[in-house]
Amino acid sequence: MNNDLIRTIVIGVSASILAIVLHELAHGFTALAMGDHTAQRAGRLSLNPLRHVDRVGTILLPAVLIAFQLLTIGRIAYMFGWAKPVPIDPSGFRNPRRGMAIVAAAGPASNFILALLSAFALAATGTSGFIADFLLYFLLFNVLLGLFNLVPLPPFDGGRIMVGLLPLAAARALAQVERLGILVILFLIFILPAALGQFGIHFDPVSDVLDNWVPRVATAFLHVAGVHAGY
C-alpha cells in the first residue's frame, strides 16, 4: 500500500468520523437545550468517537465502501455511514412531537453549517496540502450526510421532521416506519433500485445524491466562500 493511498484513507476516515460525531452531538445538545438530559446522562455528549460507534454504520459499511472503491477505481470518491443514535426522551419537551422535529433538524443543519465553515477554511488555507484535502473531504462528507438525513422517512432525520409537521394521524402512520430501522435504509439504497432497474425504472438515490446533489451543494458552498473550483 503506497503512501498516497494511506494518506487518502486516513483523511477520508477521520473526516467522516468527525462529521458523524458532530452530527450526533448536534442532536444531543439541542435536546439538552430543550430540557432533555438523557444523552448527557448516557455520556453521549462527548467528542470521543468510541462513545458513538455503531458496528454497522460506523465500522462495517465505511470499511466496505473504502475497500470497494480502492479495488475498483483506486481512490475514495465518497463515504457513507452513521453513528449510534443519541438517546432522546421527548417527554420533557413542551411539545414532544415538535420538539423531536427540532432535535432531528439539528443534525442535518449542523452538517450544512460545518460544510460551509469548511469552505471558508479552504478559502483561508488554500486548496492544496494535507489540511486542504482534509477540509475538502470534511465538506463533501458533511454535505452527503446532511442530504441523506433529509430523506423524509424514519429513521432518517427527515422522517422525524415530517412526523413533527404532519397531522397527527399521518404522523403516527409514518412513525411506524422507524421500527424497521436499518432495513429501511438497506431497502432504499440497495434492494429497491435493483428491483426497479429490472423494469427499466430508474431509482438510485445514492447515485443521484452523489452525482448530482453533493457536487452542486458543495460547489455552492465553495463559491459562497470564494473558492471558485468545482468538485
Side-chain angles (χ1 to χ4, degrees), residues 183-195:
L183 296 178
V184 173
I185 297 174
L186 296 177
F187 178 77
L188 286 174
I189 293 178
F190 299 109
I191 300 174
L192 187 58

Side-chain angles (χ1 to χ4, degrees), residues 112-122 135 139:
F112 295 132
I113 291 170
L114 289 168
L116 184 58
L117 291 176
S118 298
F120 278 104
L122 271 170
L135 289 170
L139 185 157

Side-chain angles (χ1 to χ4, degrees), residues 68-110:
F68 178 77
Q69 291 175 88
L70 292 178
L71 290 173
T72 55
I73 62 176
R75 61 189 177 88
I76 301 174
Y78 67 92
M79 286 288 293
F80 181 62
W82 60 87
K84 183 168 57 176
V86 167
I88 305 294
D89 180 5
S91 62
F93 297 158
R94 181 174 300 176
N95 183 321
R97 226 169 28 109
R98 297 296 169 84
M100 278 301 296
I102 293 171
V103 170
S110 71

Side-chain angles (χ1 to χ4, degrees), residues 4 55 99 122:
D4 288 340
R55 285 177 293 181
L122 271 170

